[in-house]
Amino acid sequence: MFATRAQFATAENALTVAVAARRAQGLPVIDLTANNPTRVDLALPQSAIRAALIAGLDGTYEPDPLGLPIAREAVAQHVARLQHRGQTGFAPVPASQILLTASTSEAYALLLTLLCNPGERVLVPQPSYPLLGFLGQLNDVHMDPWPSQFADGWHVDVAALHAAVTPQTRAIVAVSPNNPTGAVLSPHELALLAEVCAKHDLALIVDEVFADTLRPPLGDAVATVAGHAACLTFALGGLSKTCLMPHAKLAWMLVSGPQERVAEAMLRLETMADTYLSAATPIQRALPALLDLVPMIQTVLRERLEGNLRFLQQAVQRTALDVLPIAGGWSAVLRLPQPVDERDWALFALQETGVLTHPGWFFDFTGDGWLILSLLVHPDDFRSGVRTLIDTVSRATADA
Ligand SMILES: Cc1ncc(COP(=O)(O)O)c(C=O)c1O
């Protein structure tokens, strides 16, 4: 009765089972993976957020498939600030080339429908965000990895990227800043991706949901690809990371590139969006006021992320653990001592101490020895969890 695309692996992984078992026994879990911004006690400007949301309830329903013009204008201005900060040199993107959706995930789904026939393929970064595989499956699209390797920073594996393109490939996805590596595209890497896209007539999709968290100095980091014109380019962002409001359900897509391609894409996207009209009107009305709060919200966020990162960097000093450098995002990557045995460090840490981290395999890291921590965690939990984790790993490594 049910379609294969809606068939999912139901077996829980060993880590999830172990967390549930600990909780069932009443044992504590220090969750260093917590990344729900509404549950980590951040001092956000709540009354201003509430006022914006309430004001959004006024007025009648006048749907626009692309999103209300005032909301798209506000996105255009928000992204122009990112362009300015990153000195991208790309042209501003007009509101007519912006589409609002209920989430970034929905934006991905629309793009897969726009660009791929069933069975066609898209290249997705590895390591990265695990939802991409599901989005592909739901749209009958195969997601093939284009790997990057860590060596004094994350680098695109150029040979692997070229080799990954097939005659069925329709698009390349990049996540910048990447979740969880925190890597940001450099102009050189963007040019490389654009070259591959142009050569094989592919679209470029860049998930920039963490763009506001770029850490200074920006150097030559690409702050946003919005306005990039060398190939058909989609830049994705949303309230879930920009205003720490995943529950607000509003995201945006900015389309740029060769003019004819952009026009055709917008025409098709408009009809697709008209079929669902999924972005709620009150939140669109609230968007200009919410985006005005971004500097305040991001300042609070930055203090949390930087405070936790500083603590982590100090805590690993004089240990065999290593924190990889990050250019943005909400995560830190811990590299564990090498060589290690086949131990699943995340499972070991949880069972020994109750400290929950994400193992690298969760994000398709190759090889062992990676743990991913959320920098959003409340500082008290973060500090006690990190201390315990480092002690445990150091002792286990000394014993090995
Ligand atoms: C890289 C990346 N893109 C998109 C999303 C989801 O965004 P949204 O809530 O807008 O669907 C996430 C959520 O964690 C993410 O990490």
Side-chain angles (χ1 to χ4, degrees), residues 117-263:
N117 290 311
E120 291 183 335
R121 317 184 81 87
V122 165
L123 296 182
V124 295
Q126 180 192 44
S128 195
Y129 173 55
L131 199 70
L132 296 173
F134 287 94
L135 289 166
Q137 178 177 337
L138 293 181
N139 288 278
D140 300 327
V141 173
H142 300 283
M143 303 304 231
D144 297 320
W146 64 269
S148 49
Q149 308 294 344
F150 186 81
D152 300 330
W154 290 96
H155 298 287
V156 176
D157 184 335
V158 181
L161 176 64
H162 279 280
V165 179
T166 73
Q168 288 76 41
T169 306
R170 294 290 167 258
I172 300 180
V173 173
V175 180
S176 177
N178 184 287
N179 175 9
T181 65
V184 175
L185 286 177
S186 68
H188 171 69
E189 287 166 331
L190 177 58
L192 203 80
L193 293 175
E195 186 190 309
V196 177
C197 286
K199 181 168 173 206
H200 299 279
D201 204 21
L202 314 178
L204 179 63
I205 301 168
V206 184
D207 179 336
E208 304 181 340
V209 295
F210 292 107
D212 302 281
T213 62
L214 274 180
R215 304 177 68 224
L218 258 55
D220 67 351
V222 176
T224 172
V225 299
H228 174 253
C231 61
L232 183 61
T233 303
F234 301 92
L236 311 184
L239 279 186
S240 110
K241 307 294 187 269
T242 289
C243 286
L244 312 188
M245 296 178 72
H247 48 326
K249 306 310 297 178
L250 197 71
W252 45 84
M253 172 195 305
L254 290 88
V255 187
S256 58
Q259 206 43 54
E260 270 177 32
R261 284 289 172 84
V262 171

Side-chain angles (χ1 to χ4, degrees), residues 128-389:
S128 195
Y129 173 55
L131 199 70
L132 296 173
F134 287 94
L135 289 166
Q137 178 177 337
L138 293 181
N139 288 278
D140 300 327
V141 173
H142 300 283
M143 303 304 231
D144 297 320
W146 64 269
S148 49
Q149 308 294 344
F150 186 81
D152 300 330
W154 290 96
H155 298 287
V156 176
D157 184 335
V158 181
L161 176 64
H162 279 280
V165 179
T166 73
Q168 288 76 41
T169 306
R170 294 290 167 258
I172 300 180
V173 173
V175 180
S176 177
N178 184 287
N179 175 9
T181 65
V184 175
L185 286 177
S186 68
H188 171 69
E189 287 166 331
L190 177 58
L192 203 80
L193 293 175
E195 186 190 309
V196 177
C197 286
K199 181 168 173 206
H200 299 279
D201 204 21
L202 314 178
L204 179 63
I205 301 168
V206 184
D207 179 336
E208 304 181 340
V209 295
F210 292 107
D212 302 281
T213 62
L214 274 180
R215 304 177 68 224
L218 258 55
D220 67 351
V222 176
T224 172
V225 299
H228 174 253
C231 61
L232 183 61
T233 303
F234 301 92
L236 311 184
L239 279 186
S240 110
K241 307 294 187 269
T242 289
C243 286
L244 312 188
M245 296 178 72
H247 48 326
K249 306 310 297 178
L250 197 71
W252 45 84
M253 172 195 305
L254 290 88
V255 187
S256 58
Q259 206 43 54
E260 270 177 32
R261 284 289 172 84
V262 171
E264 183 67 25
M266 291 312 298
L267 213 64
R268 292 176 182 227
L269 283 168
E270 183 166 356
T271 304
M272 289 159 63
D274 200 19
T275 312
Y276 298 108
L277 291 173
S278 56
T281 295
I283 190 66
Q284 295 185 58
R285 285 226 178 83
L287 190 64
L290 292 174
L291 290 179
D292 282 345
L293 298 173
V294 170
M296 233 187 288
I297 293 172
Q298 289 290 325
T299 301
V300 173
L301 174 66
R302 194 171 316 120
E303 274 171 25
R304 171 67 56 90
L305 301 175
E306 291 296 327
N308 281 342
L309 182 60
R310 256 195 319 274
F311 179 82
L312 182 63
Q313 285 164 337
Q314 279 162 9
V316 298
Q317 278 175 14
R318 288 179 294 282
T319 74
L321 288 81
D322 200 6
V323 183
L324 301 196
I326 53 170
W330 295 3
S331 302
V333 179
L334 261 186
R335 187 164 45 179
L336 301 182
Q338 301 286 337
V340 294
D341 53 21
E342 293 292 300
R343 193 193 310 270
D344 182 332
W345 282 106
L347 191 58
F348 176 74
L350 178 77
Q351 286 170 337
E352 290 287 304
T353 65
V355 175
L356 175 60
T357 56
H358 273 140
W361 58 256
F362 191 79
F363 297 92
D364 280 339
F365 276 71
T366 47
D368 295 324
W370 309 97
L371 288 181
I372 319 302
L373 314 187
S374 165
L375 295 171
L376 215 53
V377 174
H378 189 283
D380 295 346
D381 293 339
F382 191 82
R383 286 164 186 242
S384 71
V386 163
R387 278 195 201 102
T388 311
L389 179 70

Side-chain angles (χ1 to χ4, degrees), residues 59-80:
T60 54
Y61 182 42
E62 311 289 347
D64 181 322
L66 294 181
L68 296 184
I70 49 150
R72 286 185 283 128
E73 286 294 350
V75 170
Q77 284 167 26
H78 168 71
V79 173

